[in-house]
Amino acid sequence: RAATLKAFETELGVQPPLGFWDPLGLLADADQEKFDRLRYVEIKHGRICMLAVLGQITTKAGIFLPGTIDYAGTKFSDVPTGFGAFSTISTAGIAQIVAFIGFLELVVMKDSANGAAPGEFPGDFRNGALDFGWDTFSEEEKAFKRGVELNNGRAAQMGILAL
């Protein structure tokens, strides 16, 4: 296990006060490929949770999309937050949401961990099309921004559990 700690203790996201933290031993016998896959999953779940926290905060503040969510006239403001939404949204509506998420997962949000050409790092969904200025940053700025995203994602994963 000590060799694994040495192999990954310099990776992005290893920082005080925890340092390299693997309480479940998921990386006990891991190679770089397994680490990159787990990092991809961590980033992906962090991004989802950041959106979920933002959605909770926005709707709890009373900000909703205008109009109705279905032909029955249910307004967006009538849909509760969290799991309570499942009792309000029709089965067809939930199926549309699941289909859209599936489309994003299988077609749009691809990186080398799930079949796309290798990106610059795990979780790089630019796919040669979207850049938004990323290539203009220095390597230090890129590492800083990736670390910020990783830490915000970790915080959001814990935060959404409390909402």
Side-chain angles (χ1 to χ4, degrees), residues 103-126:
F103 170 76
L104 291 176
E105 181 75 23
L106 297 173
V107 179
V108 179
M109 301 296 202
K110 297 184 72 124
D111 82 340
S112 59
N114 60 1
E120 197 174 318
F121 51 87
D124 182 1
F125 292 141
R126 290 178 295 157

Side-chain angles (χ1 to χ4, degrees), residues 1 12 17 20 22 30 48 54 56 77 127 141 143 158 160:
R1 181 154 165 97
L12 183 71
F20 178 77
D22 183 24
I48 291 166
L54 185 60
Q56 284 280 338
S77 59
N127 297 322
E141 288 174 307
M158 296 297 105
I160 197 63

Side-chain angles (χ1 to χ4, degrees), residues 15-82:
Q15 58 199 29
L18 298 177
F20 178 77
W21 195 58
D22 183 24
L24 300 177
L26 296 174
L27 296 171
D29 298 319
D31 58 3
Q32 188 66 42
E33 184 178 344
K34 182 174 181 182
F35 178 86
D36 287 347
R37 172 69 181 152
L38 291 173
R39 174 55 50 94
Y40 160 77
V41 170
E42 178 183 17
I43 291 170
K44 182 176 174 180
H45 287 120
R47 289 171 178 169
I48 291 166
C49 289
M50 286 188 275
L51 289 171
V53 167
L54 185 60
Q56 284 280 338
I57 291 170
T58 303
T59 55
K60 295 278 185 179
I63 302 169
F64 299 94
L65 292 172
T68 59
I69 194 168
D70 58 20
Y71 290 123
T74 307
K75 292 188 275 182
F76 283 99
S77 59
D78 295 337
V79 179
T81 60

Side-chain angles (χ1 to χ4, degrees), residues 118-148:
E120 197 174 318
F121 51 87
D124 182 1
F125 292 141
R126 290 178 295 157
N127 297 322
L130 301 173
D131 187 58
F132 299 116
W134 181 258
D135 291 334
T136 63
F137 297 129
S138 69
E139 291 304 313
E140 294 80 27
E141 288 174 307
K142 288 179 182 180
F144 174 77
K145 289 179 180 295
R146 287 179 55 215
V148 167

